Amino acid sequence: MYRITCPCLFGLEKTLSFEIKRAGGVNISMGDGRAFFDGDENVIAKMNITSSVAERVGIVLGEFGAGSFDEIFEGAINAPIDEFAGKDDAFPVVKGHSINSRITSIPAIQRTVKKALVLRMKKKYNTGSLPETGMTFPVHFLLQKNRMLFTLDTTGASLHKRGYRRLSGEAPIRETLAAGIVDIAHLREGDTVCDPFCGSGTILIEAAMKLLNIAPGINRSFIASEWKCFHRGIWEKELEDARERIRRDKKIRLYGFDCDEEMTKLTMANAKNAGVEEFITAETRDIGDFIYPDSPCRIITNPPYAQRMLDEDQVCAVYRTMGKRLLPLKENSLYAITSREDFPELFGAKEDKNRKLYNGMMKCRLYSYFGERPQKK
């Protein structure tokens, strides 16, 4: 069993906790934008392959007070990197952050940590040199309020990189955030989904993958699956199980619209890469020409923000047009993420619920409008 940690975007902790339980993780503790839990290699593999909102999966190597370089060195030298990396393997200190701490120089912290790890590895393998020509075991650190969290990354490229979005439009929504919003919308088989600002199609693709039970990591690789200290068969079995859980016979319909024809083409190209193009239709259409599909739908969308694409007047005009075209919602529902806290006033209706989410480092809110319940026939 390992102590494991997964970061996520702020606001998606509840979804992450559910995914950890589903993967078999136990002794879960949640914080702002991060989870800790216990699990074996099966859990590590399953979280990498199946989690839709985790940014990466790391093994905790240590957590200690780090108010000085001496404390950082002593904490790092006690980190059991040698239980994973062999004599010839590489163990770069590739990523780190310092938040509200006395020590702020990331390069200086990296040098101190690396020096300690080298000393530990040399002692373990009784050698004067470490070629670091073998497999890679990336080390990450988070120094926050003079305490350091020290982790061994099992993921490699961040989990939001599913592999299907090789190109994107301006200011695309991150895949993990799109997946989190889709989870909040509680999609069910038979739902019709619509995104009137589809861009490169991320929300629609994440919705299709969720409805079809396609694991987000099914078409990409993970750095730990190649480690000799792990069992390749476990990762292959988890991938095989994920493929068997896919259900392409479900009846779902997803529609995307964008005023830019290049974006609708990109949506379909990305949908093809993700293997869900048969379930998605994308058309070039401005929000002012929006028409509801012929059945109640869930609108899930990431409209433009003034900080990202348009100026203030243009954004206000877009949100007012949204209200004119979408209201009254009747049996339809709406989930719109934006940094604008005056969205309800511009849209012309008070939301049923809103929650704080972060799009990268930008604080946003997801405004939820549930619409009327369908009449029973």
Coordinates of all heavy atoms in Angstrom, one line a residue, residues 10 177 305 307-308 337-341 354-367:
F10 N -9.6 23.6 -8.2 CA -10.4 24.0 -7.1 C -11.9 23.9 -7.5 O -12.3 24.4 -8.5 CB -10.1 25.4 -6.6 CG -8.8 25.5 -5.9 CD1 -7.6 26.0 -6.6 CD2 -8.6 25.1 -4.6 CE1 -6.4 26.1 -5.9 CE2 -7.4 25.2 -3.9 CZ -6.3 25.7 -4.6
L177 N -11.6 20.3 -16.3 CA -12.6 21.2 -15.9 C -13.9 20.9 -16.6 O -15.0 20.8 -16.0 CB -12.2 22.6 -16.1 CG -13.3 23.7 -15.7 CD1 -13.7 23.6 -14.3 CD2 -12.7 25.1 -16.0
Y305 N -15.2 35.1 -22.1 CA -15.0 36.1 -21.0 C -14.3 37.3 -21.5 O -13.5 37.1 -22.5 CB -14.2 35.5 -19.8 CG -14.5 34.1 -19.4 CD1 -13.5 33.4 -18.7 CD2 -15.6 33.4 -19.7 CE1 -13.7 32.1 -18.3 CE2 -15.8 32.1 -19.3 CZ -14.8 31.5 -18.6 OH -15.0 30.2 -18.2
Q307 N -11.8 38.7 -20.1 CA -10.4 38.6 -19.9 C -9.7 37.7 -20.9 O -8.5 37.7 -21.0 CB -10.1 38.0 -18.5 CG -10.7 38.8 -17.3 CD -12.0 38.3 -16.9 OE1 -12.9 38.0 -17.7 NE2 -12.2 38.2 -15.6
R308 N -10.5 37.0 -21.7 CA -9.9 36.0 -22.5 C -10.0 36.3 -24.0 O -9.1 36.0 -24.8 CB -10.5 34.6 -22.2 CG -10.3 34.2 -20.8 CD -11.3 33.1 -20.4 NE -10.9 31.8 -20.9 CZ -11.6 30.9 -21.4 NH1 -12.9 31.2 -21.7 NH2 -11.2 29.8 -21.8
I337 N -20.2 28.3 -17.4 CA -19.1 28.8 -16.5 C -18.6 30.1 -17.1 O -18.4 30.2 -18.3 CB -18.0 27.7 -16.5 CG1 -16.9 28.2 -15.5 CG2 -17.5 27.3 -17.8 CD1 -15.9 27.1 -15.2
T338 N -18.4 31.0 -16.2 CA -17.9 32.3 -16.6 C -17.2 33.0 -15.4 O -17.5 32.7 -14.2 CB -19.0 33.2 -17.2 OG1 -18.4 34.5 -17.4 CG2 -20.1 33.4 -16.2
S339 N -16.3 33.9 -15.7 CA -15.7 34.7 -14.6 C -16.6 35.9 -14.2 O -16.3 36.6 -13.2 CB -14.3 35.2 -15.1 OG -14.4 36.1 -16.2
R340 N -17.6 36.2 -15.0 CA -18.5 37.3 -14.8 C -19.5 37.0 -13.7 O -20.4 36.2 -13.9 CB -19.2 37.7 -16.1 CG -18.3 38.3 -17.2 CD -17.7 39.6 -16.8 NE -18.7 40.6 -16.6 CZ -18.9 41.6 -17.5 NH1 -18.2 41.6 -18.6 NH2 -19.9 42.5 -17.3
E341 N -19.4 37.8 -12.6 CA -20.4 37.5 -11.5 C -21.7 38.3 -11.8 O -22.7 38.1 -11.0 CB -19.8 38.0 -10.2 CG -18.6 37.1 -9.8 CD -18.2 37.2 -8.3 OE1 -18.8 38.0 -7.6 OE2 -17.3 36.5 -7.9
N354 N -25.2 28.3 -7.9 CA -23.9 28.6 -8.5 C -22.8 28.1 -7.6 O -23.0 28.0 -6.4 CB -23.7 30.1 -8.8 CG -23.4 30.9 -7.6 OD1 -22.3 30.9 -7.0 ND2 -24.3 31.8 -7.2
R355 N -21.7 27.7 -8.2 CA -20.5 27.2 -7.4 C -19.3 27.8 -7.9 O -19.1 28.0 -9.1 CB -20.5 25.7 -7.3 CG -20.2 25.0 -8.6 CD -20.1 23.5 -8.4 NE -21.4 22.9 -8.2 CZ -21.6 21.8 -7.6 NH1 -20.6 21.1 -7.2 NH2 -22.8 21.3 -7.4
K356 N -18.3 28.0 -7.0 CA -17.0 28.6 -7.5 C -16.1 27.5 -8.1 O -15.9 26.4 -7.5 CB -16.3 29.2 -6.3 CG -15.0 29.9 -6.6 CD -14.6 30.8 -5.4 CE -14.3 30.0 -4.2 NZ -13.8 30.9 -3.1
L357 N -15.6 27.7 -9.2 CA -14.7 26.8 -9.9 C -13.5 27.7 -10.4 O -13.6 28.9 -10.6 CB -15.3 26.1 -11.1 CG -16.4 25.1 -10.8 CD1 -17.0 24.6 -12.1 CD2 -15.9 23.9 -9.9
Y358 N -12.4 27.0 -10.7 CA -11.2 27.8 -11.2 C -10.9 27.2 -12.6 O -10.8 26.0 -12.8 CB -10.0 27.6 -10.3 CG -10.0 28.6 -9.2 CD1 -10.8 28.4 -8.1 CD2 -9.3 29.8 -9.3 CE1 -10.8 29.3 -7.0 CE2 -9.3 30.7 -8.2 CZ -10.0 30.5 -7.1 OH -10.1 31.4 -6.1
N359 N -10.9 28.1 -13.6 CA -10.4 27.8 -14.9 C -9.0 28.2 -15.0 O -8.6 29.4 -15.3 CB -11.3 28.6 -16.0 CG -11.0 28.0 -17.4 OD1 -10.1 27.2 -17.6 ND2 -11.9 28.5 -18.3
G360 N -8.1 27.2 -14.8 CA -6.7 27.6 -14.6 C -6.5 28.3 -13.3 O -7.0 27.9 -12.2
M361 N -6.0 29.6 -13.3 CA -5.9 30.4 -12.1 C -7.0 31.4 -12.0 O -7.0 32.3 -11.1 CB -4.5 31.1 -12.1 CG -3.3 30.2 -12.1 SD -3.3 29.1 -10.6 CE -3.1 30.4 -9.3
M362 N -7.9 31.4 -13.0 CA -9.0 32.4 -13.0 C -10.2 31.9 -12.2 O -10.7 30.8 -12.5 CB -9.4 32.6 -14.5 CG -10.4 33.8 -14.6 SD -10.9 33.9 -16.4 CE -9.3 34.3 -17.1
K363 N -10.6 32.7 -11.2 CA -11.8 32.3 -10.5 C -13.0 32.5 -11.3 O -13.3 33.6 -11.9 CB -11.9 33.2 -9.2 CG -13.0 32.7 -8.3 CD -13.1 33.5 -7.0 CE -13.6 34.9 -7.1 NZ -13.8 35.6 -5.8
C364 N -13.8 31.5 -11.4 CA -15.1 31.5 -12.2 C -16.2 31.0 -11.3 O -16.1 30.6 -10.2 CB -15.0 30.7 -13.4 SG -13.7 31.2 -14.6
R365 N -17.4 31.1 -11.9 CA -18.6 30.5 -11.3 C -19.3 29.7 -12.3 O -19.4 30.1 -13.5 CB -19.5 31.5 -10.6 CG -18.9 32.2 -9.4 CD -19.9 33.0 -8.6 NE -19.2 33.5 -7.4 CZ -19.1 32.9 -6.2 NH1 -19.6 31.6 -6.1 NH2 -18.5 33.4 -5.2
L366 N -19.8 28.5 -11.9 CA -20.7 27.7 -12.7 C -22.1 28.1 -12.3 O -22.6 27.8 -11.2 CB -20.4 26.3 -12.5 CG -21.3 25.3 -13.3 CD1 -21.0 25.5 -14.8 CD2 -21.2 23.9 -12.9
Y367 N -22.9 28.7 -13.2 CA -24.3 29.1 -13.0 C -25.2 28.0 -13.5 O -25.1 27.6 -14.7 CB -24.6 30.4 -13.7 CG -23.8 31.6 -13.0 CD1 -22.6 32.0 -13.6 CD2 -24.3 32.2 -11.9 CE1 -21.9 33.0 -13.0 CE2 -23.6 33.2 -11.3 CZ -22.4 33.7 -11.8 OH -21.7 34.7 -11.2

